Amino acid sequence: ELSGGVMETVVLHPEKDTLPAYAELHCISNFSFLRGASHPEELVAGAQALGYAALALTDECSLAGVVRAHLAARDAGLKLLIGSEFTLAEGTRLVLLATDRAAYGNLSELITEGRRAAAKGNYRLTQSAVERWAAGCLALWLPPDPFDEAMALTELEWFATTFAGRAWIAVELLRTGRDAEQLAALQRLGTTTGLPLAAAGAVHMHERVRRPLQDVLTAIRRGETVVQAIPALYPNAERHLRPRAVLKRLYPPELLAATVEIAA
């Protein structure tokens, strides 16, 4: 495992080490235009190879990649979750996961409304639009990094009310140097709001070797060269499907267990 350019060796002793079950709940593909650096099929194959319990495909305001993901997951024997990521006009970022056919229909209606409200290639959605189409969907709140806890509490009040009993705070520990600080802050928010926490990976690629491509996509999206885009590039290649041995070291066990409960 390469981390920050340094090779990590993970030695497992089957009689001593038990890898935790894990389901990736926040994953975008190349169907999130100029953001994701892997095909849905590659993401499914990668999750299956790593022994994930499930994979959620959550392209931004889109379900365009789910057919390819479904076919790949069916052949691989991997449980696939259908969802989508959104950034609302109010600034709220969240992932919605459909739980059944009716919820899938509501998610589709929400995406349609958002796309129709903006020029081609963009979308615009408000919290009120989400409220209209929230039935049946599970929700993950995606905190900005860094974030203001007081402002987050206001946002989470709406989030917890809209998705009562089916809302989680996503904890995405990406080795930025602030993981411990971010985890502690999110745990405080969870205690204050009563919302449970769940691990997630903000996955943009199936393997870290796609990092250069992901950087180029970011630069193209911004209309800049890669050098000009450096301040906007991710600081490392952690937004890939990570081995469960690595996740075990990064996350409290209850956050990993929550992903499997949500997938179920």
Side-chain angles (χ1 to χ4, degrees), residues 204-240:
H204 285 58
M205 52 199 142
H206 71 296
E207 294 179 345
R208 64 166 64 244
V209 294
R210 289 289 172 89
R211 165 72 187 278
L213 173 60
Q214 210 281 320
D215 288 349
V216 170
L217 294 174
T218 300
I220 294 172
R221 188 175 74 245
R222 295 173 59 86
E224 299 173 336
T225 67
V226 173
V227 172
Q228 291 170 334
I230 284 176
L233 301 181
Y234 292 129
N236 57 36
E238 287 299 299
R239 287 169 171 78
H240 72 286

Side-chain angles (χ1 to χ4, degrees), residues 92-245:
T92 306
R93 295 184 65 237
L94 70 162
V95 164
L96 300 183
L97 301 172
T99 57
D100 54 24
R101 189 184 185 98
Y104 179 86
N106 287 337
L107 185 60
S108 299
E109 293 278 10
L110 178 64
I111 290 171
T112 299
E113 180 171 329
R115 292 296 183 182
R116 285 178 172 173
K120 184 176 181 180
N122 298 297
Y123 69 96
R124 187 182 188 280
L125 287 168
T126 62
Q127 291 179 350
S128 61
V130 171
E131 292 167 8
R132 287 195 295 275
W133 301 110
C137 288
L138 308 182
L140 299 174
W141 179 70
L142 302 176
D145 181 28
F147 64 90
D148 180 274
E149 290 187 47
M151 292 179 63
L153 282 172
T154 300
E155 197 168 284
L156 284 172
E157 181 178 359
W158 168 83
F159 181 74
T161 300
T162 303
F163 298 97
R166 48 199 171 95
W168 288 262
I169 295 173
V171 180
E172 301 185 325
L173 303 180
L174 300 169
R175 289 174 164 171
T176 62
R178 300 187 302 275
D179 283 0
E181 176 186 350
Q182 184 182 29
L183 175 60
L186 293 176
Q187 287 172 329
R188 289 193 295 271
L189 283 177
T191 299
T192 302
T193 62
L195 289 171
L197 276 59
V203 172
H204 285 58
M205 52 199 142
H206 71 296
E207 294 179 345
R208 64 166 64 244
V209 294
R210 289 289 172 89
R211 165 72 187 278
L213 173 60
Q214 210 281 320
D215 288 349
V216 170
L217 294 174
T218 300
I220 294 172
R221 188 175 74 245
R222 295 173 59 86
E224 299 173 336
T225 67
V226 173
V227 172
Q228 291 170 334
I230 284 176
L233 301 181
Y234 292 129
N236 57 36
E238 287 299 299
R239 287 169 171 78
H240 72 286
L241 296 170
R242 296 180 287 184
R244 288 179 292 147

